[in-house]
Amino acid sequence: MLITHDTRCALDTVVDLVNTAPEDATAQDGLPDLPALTGFIATHEISDVGSLTEADLAGVRKIRGLFAAVFAAPEARAAARLINELVAAAGTTPRLTDHDGYEWHVHYFAPGASVADHLAADCGMALAFFVVAGEQERLRRCEAPDCRRAFVDLSRNRSRRYCDSRTCGNRLHVAAYRARRKEAAG
């Protein structure tokens, strides 16, 4: 599957956005206020964003929940329904652009769109490409028991199980090794 630069950026953005959501009632929200949203926008180099308001923060949190549901969708039809809802509500307006030194690419948000609509359109379309290609199962959640972070499995054989093999994957492998050693020692 060919993934263009702008699609990859949108995938990274949507994964990071979903992962800002608190995993339970005791966890802290990764987007608690406008400065956090401003930092998120800057980190992901999201263009054409004006002054942010509390309404923008609420809108981004709302679409974050819908994107999380896409990653949890049990099959392509459910994911497609959610993506269609996101993209339609954003008032998608595809247009070619070559801003900031990048080659020609497509933006899906309308000029002057809110940051939530911008994210819903661009990130929604990036996820749509996976559903269209029959690759919806690559939109995953970490399989570590104490982690439910979202990620996109871009491995060749679709075998990635953890959001980060150096943290979640390694921690589980070490625990399994210790359990085997303990069992062998009797």
Side-chain angles (χ1 to χ4, degrees):
M1 177 175 182
L2 175 67
I3 300 175
T4 62
H5 171 77
D6 53 315
T7 300
R8 180 61 194 258
C9 290
L11 290 172
D12 291 344
T13 300
V14 73
V15 164
D16 288 349
L17 179 62
V18 168
N19 289 335
T20 65
E23 292 186 29
D24 58 42
T26 62
Q28 185 175 351
D29 192 317
L31 289 176
D33 51 27
L34 283 175
L37 179 58
T38 300
F40 183 88
I41 300 291
T43 297
H44 293 283
E45 299 177 351
I46 298 171
S47 61
D48 296 333
V49 175
S51 298
L52 298 173
T53 66
E54 289 294 328
D56 289 312
L57 180 61
V60 170
R61 285 180 177 161
K62 179 181 176 186
I63 64 160
R64 176 181 68 183
L66 292 171
F67 280 130
V70 171
F71 278 83
E75 43 85 30
R77 186 165 306 283
R81 183 182 51 76
L82 291 163
I83 293 167
N84 283 339
E85 180 182 328
L86 278 158
V87 171
T92 307
T93 307
R95 63 189 167 95
L96 289 167
T97 183
D98 65 345
H99 65 88
D100 298 330
Y102 293 109
E103 295 296 321
W104 288 105
H105 60 282
V106 179
H107 280 188
Y108 295 95
F109 60 94
S114 71
V115 67
D117 286 345
H118 179 142
L119 292 169
D122 276 358
C123 296
M125 289 305 300
L127 296 177
F129 295 139
F130 277 79
V131 174
V132 167
E135 301 284 351
Q136 183 255 338
E137 73 276 1
R138 289 181 181 269
L139 308 177
R140 297 192 175 162
R141 290 290 190 156
C142 184
E143 291 183 19
D146 58 343
C147 180
R148 296 299 301 147
R149 292 179 59 83
F151 68 94
V152 178
D153 178 4
L154 297 176
S155 67
R156 246 181 220 193
N157 60 357
R158 300 173 189 86
S159 63
R160 188 170 159 199
R161 297 175 48 206
Y162 307 110
C163 63
D164 187 343
S165 61
R166 289 174 284 163
T167 54
C168 291
N170 192 43
R171 189 175 61 244
L172 288 175
H173 290 113
V174 168
Y177 170 77
R178 288 181 180 157
R180 286 191 306 272
R181 297 272 299 177
K182 184 176 180 180
E183 187 177 305

